[in-house]
Amino acid sequence: MSQSSTAASQIRIASFNLYNFIAPPDAYYDFNNIYTQAQWRQKCDWIRRYLASHDPCVIGFQEVFSIAALKALLAEAGYPHFVTVDTPQVSDDFIYRHPVLALASKYPVLSCEACTIDQTVASLMGIAPGFQYSRLPLRATIALPHLGPCDCYVVHFKSKRAQFEPELALVSASTSKPASAQNAQSEPAALAEPDSQGGEKAALFAIEAAAKWASSLVRGTEASLLRFAIARRRIETGNPVILMGDFNDSLAGGVLSALVSQDSRLLGELGEGAFQAYRLQDGYQLHERSQYSPGSVARPATHYHLNQGEVIDYILLSNEFDPHNDQCLAEVSQYHTYDSHLINPQYERDSHSTDHAPVMISLKIRE
């Protein structure tokens, strides 16, 4: 489909976690994690098929190690505009860690920069100085047909993996005990015998819970600070906002509530209009409330862990895409989750695809 015909119909926005996109002979995280040439070709072909079949106009990518390889693949697929704001970490010249985000577009990217942290707000939140995003979010301002400049954000919030190793924390706690506590006669035998059932090893469960909650704290902090950065930018430009990415959590879970919160004591003071101007809404829910909704259907999962599906990949939108708002410029006419490789995989086609389901929305311009 040509760019002109795309502009005449609908604008499609997609979020795509590529799952360790790295060209051989480089490795991801460990020297053993190197794709063969056949595996790498299969992974790239899978991405090409998705692009050819769904033809998104703007795509936010997560888990990018090989930036040049992705840029070349997308240029070949018809995406002349490609941006990123960070680079992965490399050790021993070939082992890559800390993948980055990228964005590709069929429409001109007017500007692009990394999202920064307001240290004053972070301090008021009780965050230690020097806090940084686990993956540096990017903001690209794109000239979208009929909409004009639109600020598109790509994120990959902190994962649910434990923030620290429980075993190391247990050792640290043991060695930091006061001498009186270490020699106390009243110490339970279970704690004195690390290998005994119910002894110190049992404390690992509690420490692991604390380590996972520490990750949740980071994830929630990232979301809150980004929401503030988006609001500041909105004040400066008034541009429509699209926020997409791997959130690593459910919006309904509480940790990420700052992104879509509605309950505010300021409503009575500032008014509904001011609130709506800085509100972000889930693209799926906007589609459900639109005239294009097919009715109530179960929302497909975007990721599976231990056979349990969850929605952790989202596209959030500002009020310019809410049909019930006076400022609406476009509606979410379609919402699509590409999950066949997760629920009905075919090894020859899907073995080196991704562990996420790319999500895509279609925006139909209001007349």
Side-chain angles (χ1 to χ4, degrees):
M1 181 180 293
S2 68
Q3 182 168 314
S4 60
S5 61
T6 299
S9 55
Q10 302 192 42
I11 302 170
R12 290 176 294 281
I13 311 292
S15 179
F16 194 156
N17 185 315
L18 293 170
Y19 187 56
N20 298 324
F21 184 86
I22 186 165
D26 293 326
Y28 56 95
Y29 302 116
D30 186 86
F31 69 93
N32 287 321
N33 295 330
I34 302 175
Y35 295 125
T36 66
Q37 288 295 336
Q39 291 169 341
W40 174 244
R41 184 165 53 251
Q42 186 179 24
K43 187 173 186 68
C44 290
D45 286 345
W46 196 92
I47 297 169
R48 291 187 183 98
R49 284 193 298 271
Y50 174 82
L51 297 176
S53 174
H54 295 82
D55 194 30
C57 307
V58 177
I59 320 167
F61 293 102
Q62 303 90 48
E63 295 203 28
V64 180
F65 287 112
S66 295
I67 296 173
L70 181 60
K71 182 177 181 180
L73 185 156
L74 290 163
E76 173 192 308
Y79 295 84
H81 308 284
F82 178 90
V83 292
T84 187
V85 294
D86 202 2
T87 56
Q89 293 183 7
V90 188
S91 61
D92 299 326
D93 295 327
F94 77 102
I95 301 176
Y96 282 62
R97 296 179 176 85
H98 300 291
V100 302
L101 309 172
L103 179 142
S105 173
K106 294 188 174 185
Y107 303 112
V109 176
L110 304 178
S111 65
C112 180
E113 63 182 38
C115 298
T116 58
I117 290 174
D118 188 295
Q119 293 299 332
T120 300
V121 174
S123 176
L124 291 171
M125 291 170 61
I127 306 303
F131 177 87
Q132 297 296 326
Y133 292 108
S134 51
R135 292 98 169 179
L136 191 59
L138 71 79
R139 184 195 72 238
T141 302
I142 302 174
L144 293 180
H146 307 289
L147 296 176
C150 183
D151 288 336
C152 296
Y153 295 80
V154 185
V155 299
H156 189 178
F157 292 136
K158 178 70 177 70
S159 73
K160 292 182 179 179
R161 286 190 295 273
Q163 183 73 352
F164 53 84
E165 293 294 336
E167 292 83 359
L168 295 178
L170 186 59
V171 171
S172 177
S174 299
T175 57
S176 63
K177 286 181 183 177
S180 58
Q182 293 181 13
N183 299 324
Q185 295 296 320
S186 60
E187 184 177 17
L191 290 180
E193 297 292 336
D195 293 330
S196 64
Q197 184 176 8
E200 284 194 6
K201 285 187 176 179
L204 288 174
F205 292 106
I207 297 174
E208 181 186 43
K212 289 183 176 180
W213 176 243
S215 291
S216 297
L217 289 175
V218 172
R219 191 162 56 255
T221 299
E222 291 176 336
S224 298
L225 290 171
L226 182 65
R227 174 72 188 279
F228 180 75
I230 292 173
R232 287 286 296 270
R233 171 73 176 180
R234 182 90 153 144
I235 292 171
E236 295 171 1
T237 68
N239 292 341
V241 175
I242 300 175
L243 169 61
M244 67 192 95
D246 177 358
F247 288 17
N248 265 316
D249 212 333
S250 167
L251 281 176
V255 173
L256 300 181
S257 60
L259 290 172
V260 292
S261 59
Q262 301 183 55
D263 182 22
S264 173
R265 66 174 180 81
L266 298 174
L267 271 175
E269 180 180 337
L270 300 179
E272 181 71 19
F275 168 71
Q276 292 295 338
Y278 295 94
R279 182 185 182 189
L280 293 176
Q281 298 184 68
D282 182 0
Y284 176 85
Q285 294 182 353
L286 287 174
H287 178 241
E288 288 277 278
R289 299 199 302 270
S290 76
Q291 60 180 308
Y292 305 100
S293 173
S296 180
V297 294
R299 184 172 190 171
T302 68
H303 184 264
Y304 288 83
H305 179 66
L306 301 178
N307 295 323
Q308 182 67 40
E310 54 186 347
V311 178
I312 61 175
D313 300 84
Y314 291 92
I315 301 175
L316 306 187
L317 304 162
S318 56
N319 66 330
E320 285 85 354
F321 307 99
D322 180 355
H324 302 291
N325 192 284
D326 293 340
Q327 304 301 315
C328 182
L329 301 176
E331 291 187 62
V332 182
S333 60
Q334 292 182 349
Y335 180 96
H336 185 262
T337 303
Y338 186 64
D339 60 358
S340 62
H341 61 293
L342 299 179
I343 61 177
N344 186 28
Q346 298 179 21
Y347 182 84
E348 296 78 8
R349 181 192 65 192
D350 302 321
S351 62
H352 291 86
S353 53
T354 173
D355 61 343
H356 284 247
V359 295
M360 185 176 77
I361 61 170
S362 295
L363 300 174
K364 184 172 178 58
I365 305 298
R366 297 191 83 180
E367 298 178 356

